[in-house]
Amino acid sequence: MRALVIAGLALFWIGQSNVAQTNNCIVCHSEIRVDYLESAHAPAGVTCVDCHGGDPATLDYRAAHAGSTTPTRAQIPQLCASCHADPVKMKPYGLRTDQYAEYLTSGHGKAFAAGDLNAAICTDCHTSHRVMSRFEPRSSVHPQHLAQTCARCHADSELMKPYGLSTDIVDNFRQGVHGTALQNGNPRAPTCATCHGLHGSTLLQPEDIVTVCGTCHIAERQYFDKSVHRSKTNSAEFQGCAACHGDHRILSAQSSLFESVCTQCHSNGTSAHALGEKLKTLLTEVQRALHEAELVLQQAEGMAFDVSGYRSRLHEAQTHFLQARAAQHVLDEAQLVELTRRAQAIANDIRGEAHSLQTAVQIRWLGLTLVWGYLVLVLIVLSLYRQAYRRERSL
């Protein structure tokens, strides 16, 4: 055991010596050692001198710092691009080489190119030394952390004041259905970059909102494009999806949305209000029917029934319901009636058949209980008769 400990210490010392020999910078600059060693640059062989210059092979202060420099904020984007825009250097890693070109088209890049050094640059998002892949869970640009990274600037009231931007955007996003799904660990939940872009991030224009939302919500967009609302989109009074669901604090498609949003434009007594009430009722009723069918199946499972066949039919009903939820955007009552009718008919059949199974079992249990009760009663009568018979014999 002692020999193993000594061997382990020796290997550790050799490993540390090798690191020091190849990059002596982190011997003195220990404050960035861990960040650098955990970065994507370290295993790729990108060392301090690739960005700062100097001589990493010596521990002599003057010799090590000869020709070295600390890049200014104005120099950082082009410095990063000297590698990340080079197809030869990036090809082995399969990385894109258009990030810098995309950055220059973004709101950040345009402001930076115009001389605004407060505009976001590479290190504001990726950090200076602990640069990690967005697939690494500890990365500052991992989907789970991206909102917090954006909030470093976009939640800073002093920094946002010159641009007239709201500082509650990130908080609103977290409270919305997208942010909630992301915080609950849904890997498919959208982040800031999903809607605004990665390196080419920009503010969405009203005419782009339906297109951007439609990249994920494909069916909803197709139905919406056929609706009367589509003709109102891009006007000052109606900005597509955001007009009903919000922009960052995205509201879930619940029945309460009708009372809180639809009635703001369509007052009681109008034909549009009446249609909205009908659509809401259709969806609410089928949702309740699906919920009741699910509860009945759970009860049947608890009674040891095989409900796999019913489960597949329930999934079919739920599919019709999801289609109906998307179809409500076209505002066609007849189409919604057909889709909800299919879903509700299946749900009602499942509920009825599952109830029949439970009823049959209950009848069997009742019959079994009566039989056992009768047998117990017979045994009691026989026991009493036997006791009486013995008493008579003993007299």
Side-chain angles (χ1 to χ4, degrees), residues 63-332:
H65 289 85
S68 67
T69 183
T70 299
T72 65
R73 187 172 178 83
Q75 294 172 329
I76 288 175
Q78 286 190 328
L79 175 62
C80 295
S82 65
C83 287
H84 284 276
D86 186 331
V88 175
K89 291 181 178 179
M90 293 298 104
K91 188 173 183 179
Y93 307 103
L95 296 176
R96 291 169 48 187
T97 56
D98 61 347
Q99 290 102 326
Y100 180 62
E102 242 189 33
Y103 168 74
L104 294 178
T105 68
S106 70
H108 296 150
K110 289 177 180 178
F112 182 80
D116 183 358
L117 295 182
N118 283 325
I121 60 174
C122 315
T123 51
D124 290 321
C125 301
H126 295 279
T127 74
S128 298
H129 299 103
R130 198 168 180 260
V131 180
M132 293 181 170
S133 163
R134 65 190 179 95
F135 301 108
E136 164 59 54
R138 296 172 298 164
S139 171
S140 58
V141 292
H142 184 273
Q144 289 290 336
H145 306 304
L146 188 59
Q148 183 58 42
T149 296
C150 295
R152 293 175 189 168
C153 293
H154 285 278
D156 187 326
S157 56
E158 288 300 316
L159 191 57
M160 292 296 104
K161 187 183 295 183
Y163 310 104
L165 295 177
S166 174
T167 56
D168 61 356
I169 291 174
V170 175
D171 282 341
N172 284 335
F173 168 76
R174 287 172 174 154
Q175 294 173 33
V177 65
H178 291 160
T180 301
L182 189 65
Q183 293 174 71
N184 289 337
N186 186 339
R188 299 179 63 186
T191 66
C192 310
T194 308
C195 301
H196 294 281
L198 292 168
H199 296 92
S201 60
T202 186
L203 291 173
L204 292 181
Q205 299 304 314
E207 60 269 21
D208 297 328
I209 291 176
V210 175
T211 302
V212 170
C213 295
T215 58
C216 293
H217 301 283
I218 300 172
E220 286 80 357
R221 177 187 173 184
Q222 291 173 342
Y223 284 116
F224 179 80
D225 282 341
K226 300 174 184 177
S227 74
V228 66
H229 281 158
R230 189 61 168 113
S231 62
K232 299 289 185 181
T233 300
N234 305 338
S235 66
E237 62 184 33
F238 193 85
Q239 296 184 358
C241 313
C244 298
H245 294 280
D247 46 16
H248 292 95
R249 189 178 182 181
I250 308 297
L251 300 175
S252 177
Q254 302 294 333
S255 59
S256 58
L257 197 65
F258 174 77
E259 287 81 8
S260 62
V261 176
C262 301
T263 54
Q264 293 179 10
C265 296
H266 306 295
S267 57
N268 193 8
T270 62
S271 59
H273 185 279
L275 175 60
E277 283 278 13
K278 291 178 182 177
L279 301 184
K280 182 193 77 170
T281 301
L282 286 170
L283 291 170
T284 301
E285 287 180 352
V286 72
Q287 189 171 23
R288 181 169 56 248
L290 290 172
H291 177 67
E292 290 174 355
E294 172 63 31
L295 291 178
V296 171
L297 287 185
Q298 289 179 4
Q299 293 172 358
E301 284 178 323
M303 299 172 72
F305 279 109
D306 178 11
V307 298
S308 55
Y310 295 107
R311 283 280 175 207
S312 62
R313 292 174 61 194
L314 184 59
H315 290 159
E316 180 186 354
Q318 290 167 339
T319 299
H320 289 312
F321 174 63
L322 291 176
Q323 290 176 331
R325 287 184 62 176
Q328 68 180 308
H329 292 86
V330 79
L331 304 175
D332 184 345

Side-chain angles (χ1 to χ4, degrees), residues 8-19:
L9 291 172
L11 288 172
F12 176 78
W13 181 83
I14 292 171
Q16 294 294 338
S17 298
N18 289 335
V19 170

